[in-house]
Amino acid sequence: MARDSARSIVLFTDEELNGITGVKKGEDFVEVTCGCTSPRYGDAVGRLRVFASGKLEVACECCPGCREDKLTPSAFEKHAGRENPRRWKYYVWVIVKGKKIPLLKTALLKYHEKVYGGSSYRGNKGKPCHRDEFVRCSICNKERRFRRQTKVDCRTYHDAVLDANWKCSDLPSDEYSCDDEEERASRRSIRGCSRTALCKGCTLCVCFGCEICRFPDCACQTCIDFVNNSPK
């Protein structure tokens, strides 16, 4: 973590908070608008505070006069009226670019996961897990799969994303050429998640930044922010 002033700790990069509604930065926390939807009672809205210590705290605003201002996300889920409340990472949401997005699909849990376990970017063997991604060739306009199982794999993909003129022949291997057919859509939906083959992004396969997929010698803003905000 870095500091942007004598008082404020930078917990999240601008990229990680991009599009999230109600962002407010405190001395050692970030606050955002959150909510939980009950099939019976509808939406309960609140304010989620994410602390550098990993603590998560919800101030409920479900109705005027509600005094529940220091709930855990699990308690907030129960307070909102969900039956069998035990999956708050799925059912407590934040608003990102106008859409309700589960907490587990954001970077907001990264400190909580580091302290309490269940990291959002750890695989079954405790190693950072990165799902396959695709980059479109600037010549043939076909999407090509990049497997990201090693640091070298991640760097190859990272550099390709930054290159607006990337083409199939830039791959270090001869895996693809512009003459090869593009993968079928049904095949492209399988991206290497260990939880489910057709996963669209979850805590097991989406990484918000680690030593494997961020690079100190890269000049892109994402890598610069990661290096500057990493514990020294």
Side-chain angles (χ1 to χ4, degrees):
M1 291 177 289
R3 291 180 179 270
D4 60 5
S5 69
R7 297 181 57 191
S8 179
I9 298 174
V10 179
L11 297 179
F12 300 97
T13 65
D14 290 340
E15 180 184 9
E16 289 171 328
L17 297 176
N18 183 38
I20 298 179
T21 297
V23 174
K24 177 182 177 182
K25 299 178 181 179
E27 183 176 347
D28 64 342
F29 68 87
V30 168
E31 183 177 284
V32 300
T33 300
C34 71
C36 184
T37 302
S38 165
R40 179 178 297 181
Y41 303 110
D43 291 349
V45 179
R47 302 284 302 174
L48 170 68
R49 283 192 175 186
V50 180
F51 292 87
S53 64
K55 179 181 178 182
L56 301 173
E57 189 175 274
V58 178
C60 184
E61 299 175 349
C62 62
C63 63
C66 181
R67 297 184 179 181
E68 299 291 353
D69 60 351
K70 291 186 178 181
L71 296 171
T72 65
S74 179
F76 176 59
E77 181 190 18
K78 183 176 181 180
H79 179 70
R82 283 203 63 87
E83 297 181 1
N84 303 318
R86 290 186 178 179
R87 304 183 70 192
W88 59 267
K89 294 179 185 180
Y90 293 84
Y91 294 122
V92 175
W93 42 260
V94 295
I95 300 174
V96 182
K97 297 180 180 179
K99 296 183 179 180
K100 298 174 183 176
I101 304 297
L103 280 178
L104 66 84
K105 291 190 176 182
T106 73
L108 296 171
L109 295 182
K110 67 179 183 179
Y111 295 104
H112 178 84
E113 303 291 11
K114 286 180 181 179
V115 174
Y116 298 101
S119 170
S120 62
Y121 45 87
R122 298 282 164 175
N124 291 335
K125 297 182 180 180
K127 298 179 180 179
C129 180
H130 304 84
R131 66 179 185 165
D132 299 348
E133 297 290 356
F134 292 85
V135 176
R136 190 176 296 278
C137 175
S138 62
I139 295 178
C140 67
N141 202 38
K142 297 172 184 174
E143 285 191 328
R144 299 307 188 189
R145 181 185 296 268
F146 282 73
R147 303 187 189 282
R148 302 189 301 154
Q149 299 177 356
T150 67
K151 191 173 183 68
V152 173
D153 292 342
C154 287
R155 186 58 187 260
T156 301
Y157 166 73
H158 186 76
D159 290 346
V161 169
L162 295 177
D163 184 359
N165 297 314
W166 182 87
K167 52 190 179 298
C168 294
S169 60
D170 290 334
L171 284 168
S173 65
D174 296 327
E175 185 175 0
Y176 299 114
S177 73
C178 287
D179 294 331
D180 293 327
E181 292 295 325
E182 187 177 49
E183 285 190 29
R184 298 190 304 273
S186 58
R187 174 61 184 168
R188 290 201 303 272
S189 64
I190 301 174
R191 300 174 68 171
C193 178
S194 61
R195 182 175 66 89
T196 177
L198 299 179
C199 179
K200 295 182 179 180
C202 72
T203 57
L204 292 182
C205 64
V206 175
C207 177
F208 296 107
C210 69
E211 291 80 4
I212 291 178
C213 65
R214 299 291 183 261
F215 310 97
D217 62 338
C218 178
C220 80
Q221 193 61 48
T222 299
C223 287
I224 291 173
D225 289 342
F226 176 80
V227 172
N228 289 341
N229 294 330
S230 295
K232 299 297 189 289

